Amino acid sequence: MSSSIQTTIIRQPADGDTALTPNNKSAEVIHENRAGWLMLAPACILLVLFIGIPVALAFVLSFTNARTISPNPTRFIGLNNFTRLFSDPTFWRALLNVAIFAVVVVPVQAGLGLFLAVLINKKVRSSVFFRTVYFLPVVTSMVVVSLLWMFIYQNDGMLNQVLEKLTFHHWTAVDWLNNPQTALGAIIVMSIWQAVGQHMLIWLSGLQTISAELYEAAELDGCDAWHQFTNVTWPGLRSTRNMILITITIAALSLFTQINVMTQGGPRDSTTTVVFEAVRSGFQQQEMGYASAITLVFFLIIMAITAVQRRITHSN
């Protein structure tokens, strides 16, 4: 006669063990949340100090006649700054210049960066050298780059000399930065050259996340290089291209340093941008209320453009 004996072993907690009761679990969660907030606190404080407070201050000042140095007290003037802003031809010219800059720079800079990234993504010799060369302008100060290109764009600068030799002395020297028809284009070319290396590296990081097995499968299916790019590479770069699109657009809309160093908004406001106009109104003309109104309106425009871009990129 056989019988099965079922033995149940119940482990009793030792003296040093701590039972995980509901109270202990909640205490542990509270401790973890507290530690997380303490780690997040420095970033939150900096965010409030350098973004939150300036935005709130700009919002308040935009409805006043505040000046940097004035014996008269600041007073509330309602929508007068905005009325003046929307009737100011300089603001509309600055907005047009920024729009032209963004429309040209965003696709050209993104496309050129992708082209260079695809080239140096191949396992060939000297690829590290070319990555360094393409990225070198990015780590160089924009002020230094702007000063360098000012010399290139002069009447007797390198660009005119090269064009003169290429055309066998039939080229007439152009003062690129002092001509209203060429000044903005010269800024666009220099800006693309300076920042294309940064976006090349971002594209390159995205390319290296695509599995090599997908390319092998495409080759087995008889796909050539172009079809591999359209069917494997481009879909695999969806998140990368969305980020690049947004970052290039914001950088293009906030154009300032090149203008401040190279042209000061001239000639005849042909290179004036919204950010430069806000800085000039606030610090040179000392009209902080009007400059705050410019900043607030431009902030809303950028937010609207970014929202549209996010909607378009997430729907594709």
Side-chain angles (χ1 to χ4, degrees), residues 9-309:
I9 301 175
I10 301 177
R11 179 183 180 272
Q12 298 295 330
D15 295 338
D17 293 347
T18 302
L20 291 177
T21 64
N23 291 334
N24 290 337
K25 289 182 179 180
S26 60
E28 184 178 355
V29 170
I30 293 174
H31 178 72
E32 292 178 354
N33 291 338
R34 185 179 302 170
W37 281 109
L38 288 175
M39 294 178 184
L40 195 61
C44 292
I45 293 173
L46 293 176
L47 190 65
V48 171
L49 288 177
F50 293 101
I51 296 181
I53 293 178
V55 169
L57 187 61
F59 179 80
V60 173
L61 292 178
S62 63
F63 297 97
T64 67
N65 66 340
R67 298 182 64 89
T68 306
I69 301 175
S70 176
N72 300 321
T74 301
R75 60 185 179 85
F76 179 79
I77 60 173
L79 299 176
N80 290 356
N81 285 327
F82 297 96
T83 304
R84 173 188 170 187
L85 176 64
F86 291 125
S87 61
D88 186 2
T90 303
F91 171 75
W92 292 107
R93 180 58 188 271
L95 200 60
L96 177 62
N97 291 336
V98 168
I100 295 174
F101 186 88
V103 168
V104 176
V105 167
V106 171
V108 174
Q109 192 165 285
L112 185 57
L114 177 59
F115 175 73
L116 295 176
V118 171
L119 288 181
I120 65 175
N121 191 42
K122 305 295 183 181
K123 302 298 183 181
V124 295
R125 295 177 58 186
S126 303
S127 60
V128 176
F129 170 77
F130 286 110
R131 294 182 193 181
T132 305
V133 170
Y134 294 147
F135 191 72
L136 186 61
V138 179
V139 298
T140 306
S141 170
M142 178 58 75
V143 176
V144 175
V145 172
S146 299
L147 292 174
L148 172 65
W149 279 79
M150 283 181 64
F151 291 108
I152 294 176
Y153 283 140
Q154 288 180 350
N155 274 328
D156 55 350
M158 185 181 69
L159 180 59
N160 281 320
Q161 292 183 10
V162 170
L163 292 175
E164 183 180 3
K165 293 184 181 299
L166 291 177
T167 57
F168 302 101
H169 302 284
H170 292 290
W171 175 261
T172 302
V174 177
D175 194 355
W176 300 92
L177 296 178
N178 290 321
N179 188 338
Q181 298 179 350
T182 60
L184 184 60
I187 299 293
I188 289 174
V189 172
M190 186 272 291
S191 301
I192 293 175
W193 174 85
Q194 190 273 337
V196 70
Q198 176 183 0
H199 299 98
M200 175 205 69
L201 286 184
I202 298 175
W203 283 119
L204 185 62
S205 64
L207 288 173
Q208 293 178 349
T209 62
I210 302 175
S211 175
E213 297 177 354
L214 297 177
Y215 292 102
E216 295 175 359
E219 290 181 359
L220 292 177
D221 289 339
C223 294
D224 55 13
W226 173 249
H227 286 92
Q228 289 183 28
F229 176 81
T230 56
N231 295 298
V232 178
T233 305
W234 187 246
L237 293 173
R238 176 180 177 180
S239 59
T240 304
R241 69 172 180 262
N242 292 345
M243 182 188 68
I244 285 182
L245 177 63
I246 293 175
T247 55
I248 294 181
T249 302
I250 294 176
L253 294 176
S254 59
L255 175 66
F256 171 73
T257 305
Q258 302 94 305
I259 305 301
N260 188 45
V261 174
M262 301 176 72
T263 63
Q264 289 290 310
R268 297 200 296 271
D269 292 328
S270 60
T271 59
T272 300
T273 63
V274 180
V275 177
F276 179 80
E277 179 64 18
V279 173
R280 179 167 58 183
S281 299
F283 294 97
Q284 294 183 8
Q285 301 172 1
Q286 299 184 2
E287 296 180 306
M288 293 302 297
Y290 183 63
S292 299
I294 296 175
T295 304
L296 182 60
V297 171
F298 193 53
F299 173 76
L300 295 177
I301 292 174
I302 292 179
M303 290 296 292
I305 294 175
T306 305
V308 172
Q309 284 185 333

